[in-house]
Each structure stands twice: as C-alpha cells, then as structure tokens.
Amino acid sequence: GAGVSQTPSNKVTEKGKYVELRCDPISGHTALYWYRQSLGQGPEFLIYFQGTGAADDSGLPNDRFFAVRPEGSVSTLKIQRTERGDSAVYLCASSLRLADTDTQYFGPGTRLTVL
Amino acid sequence: AQSVTQLDSQVPVFEEAPVELRCNYSSSVSVYLFWYVQYPNQGLQLLLKYLSGSTLVKGINGFEAEFNKSQTSFHLRKPSVHISDTAEYFCAVIAPYGGATNKLIFGTGTLLAVQP
C-alpha cells in the first residue's frame, strides 16, 4: 500500500517568508510525528499527534513553528518568519497507534532551504 | 535524559566483507532500541528493533543486532555486505518510562560505503 507522502519534496524560500509543509500518513494510522534533520545530524523530534490533537509539542523550537491535523489524517507544519537556521529536511512519520512499541514509518521528507 | 552515540561517521568496507556499525546509548531507564536505514533520496526504513526478550534481534536484508545492557550498546552487524547496502544507518532509542515516550531519539548516523 501507499506509504507516508510529503509535499513539496523541495521548498526554497526567502528569509522572513511563511511556509507550509504537508504530510499524508499511511491510511488508518492514528499517530503522526514530525522530525527535523539538519545537515550531518540525526532527526530530532518536533511534535506528535494522536488523532486531531497535538499530544506532545515539546520539540518545537519556538512559537514560529506550528502544526495542525484538523481531521486526524493529513498534517501541515507551518513556519512563520523563516530564518536561515530553519533550513533542514523535515520528516513526517506515522504509526498505527500512539505506542512506543509501534513502528514509525517515515516519509521521504521535505528539504527546506531558507535563503 | 537519553542520548545515542554513533562514533563512526563513515565506515568503508569491501563488498562481501562483514561489517559492524556501533551504537551506544545513555539512559537511566529501560529503553527500546531501533536501527533505521536511509537510502539516498528515500525515507527512513526500519531495519530492526529490540523491545524485550532475546538480546539478538534479526532484521531485514540480513542485518542483525545484539542488545548488551551492561555495555549499553546495540551494535548492528551483517556477515557479508552488498553494494546495495550503501546507505546512512541511524540508531535510535525510545524511553517509555523516561519522559520521552513515543519520541525517537536518534544518533548522528553512520554512512556505510560498500566498495567493489
């Protein structure tokens, strides 16, 4: 079946602009996660959802970052007033349930470049 | 807090040779352990995971890993590598009772470069 998809695959923007990154999880998966992977680093947790609600957003770096999942499926990560330091690959993952033992399936990521 | 260390940023190896990718973790509580692989321009794919039970875990593509609690290690091994194994490998933990539930904490990755 279809895996996790993310759009766009690449996004180039200018400093100060607003961007939205979209994630389509695997059908039927109730949990959704966002991670950020900077160059030469492993992915770092940002936020996860159980259904429509953000169960843990402790990884969001500041209030310029926000994520929503209004219908419990697709999620959008929103970044306001982008900065050059926001440049990274943003990864989305989903799992069948919100459980430590459930495998998180990752999408291919969105590469964000802030000029 | 939990952390994961992958000391080798790159491991070159010849085709059909054995390989070991090292992973050590730090945690004051029990953890679940994972190895993910990232092929070029693709998403992270789970190779294997240790939750409990036998400390030797077998995964996909002929990989296996052994959990060693006393050494806080979870090294990944393959007896004979192929060119197609060239990829970035990430070790990760989840600490279900350590305030980091459901969050994968990743190491910095090891690039396995298989040469003909």
Side-chain angles (χ1 to χ4, degrees):
Chain A
V4 178
S5 62
Q6 294 185 245
T7 55
S9 56
N10 281 284
K11 176 71 177 177
V12 180
T13 190
E14 294 179 343
K15 180 175 177 296
K17 299 289 189 182
Y18 167 83
V19 297
E20 290 189 351
L21 312 179
R22 176 188 168 106
C23 172
D24 275 273
I26 293 172
S27 178
H29 280 196
T30 61
L32 185 146
Y33 314 77
W34 285 98
Y35 292 82
R36 178 169 72 172
Q37 186 175 15
S38 301
L39 194 63
Q41 301 296 316
E44 293 180 309
F45 167 79
L46 295 177
I47 183 172
Y48 65 69
F49 291 85
Q50 169 66 3
T52 60
D56 188 333
D57 63 358
S58 61
L60 295 178
N62 51 60
D63 61 6
R64 296 187 296 106
F65 289 75
F66 189 72
V68 295
R69 196 185 184 201
E71 298 178 356
S73 179
V74 170
S75 176
T76 304
L77 179 65
K78 308 180 180 192
I79 310 174
Q80 299 177 320
R81 306 183 304 279
T82 52
E83 300 177 356
R84 292 193 180 88
D86 298 334
S87 295
V89 177
Y90 288 81
L91 300 171
C92 176
S94 69
S95 63
L96 186 61
R97 306 168 300 161
L98 187 66
D100 295 308
T101 54
D102 274 23
T103 296
Q104 295 185 25
Y105 296 88
F106 283 80
T110 293
R111 182 175 299 278
L112 174 66
T113 303
V114 182
L115 301 177
Chain B
Q2 293 73 37
S3 65
V4 177
T5 301
Q6 293 180 252
L7 286 174
D8 303 310
S9 60
Q10 186 167 349
V11 173
V13 62
F14 287 107
E15 194 172 20
E16 297 184 7
V19 70
E20 177 180 86
L21 305 184
R22 296 181 294 168
C23 172
N24 287 86
Y25 68 92
S26 174
S27 177
S28 58
V29 298
S30 296
V31 297
Y32 299 142
L33 294 147
F34 305 79
W35 275 100
Y36 278 84
V37 59
Q38 188 172 36
Y39 298 104
N41 300 315
Q42 294 187 29
L44 291 159
Q45 179 182 1
L46 182 70
L47 275 178
L48 47 81
K49 62 183 177 182
Y50 172 79
L51 302 179
S52 64
S54 172
T55 57
L56 183 61
V57 181
K58 293 190 182 297
I60 62 172
N61 301 339
F63 284 94
E64 63 180 32
E66 186 155 20
F67 169 55
N68 188 318
K69 187 175 182 179
S70 62
Q71 296 186 8
T72 60
S73 68
F74 191 54
H75 300 332
L76 181 70
R77 302 185 183 97
K78 186 170 182 177
S80 175
V81 296
H82 303 288
I83 295 285
S84 59
D85 292 323
T86 294
E88 188 90 25
Y89 291 78
F90 291 94
C91 182
V93 303
I94 283 179
Y97 308 107
T101 186
N102 300 307
K103 307 172 192 176
L104 284 162
I105 299 167
F106 287 89
T108 51
T110 296
L111 176 61
L112 176 62
V114 182
Q115 305 164 9

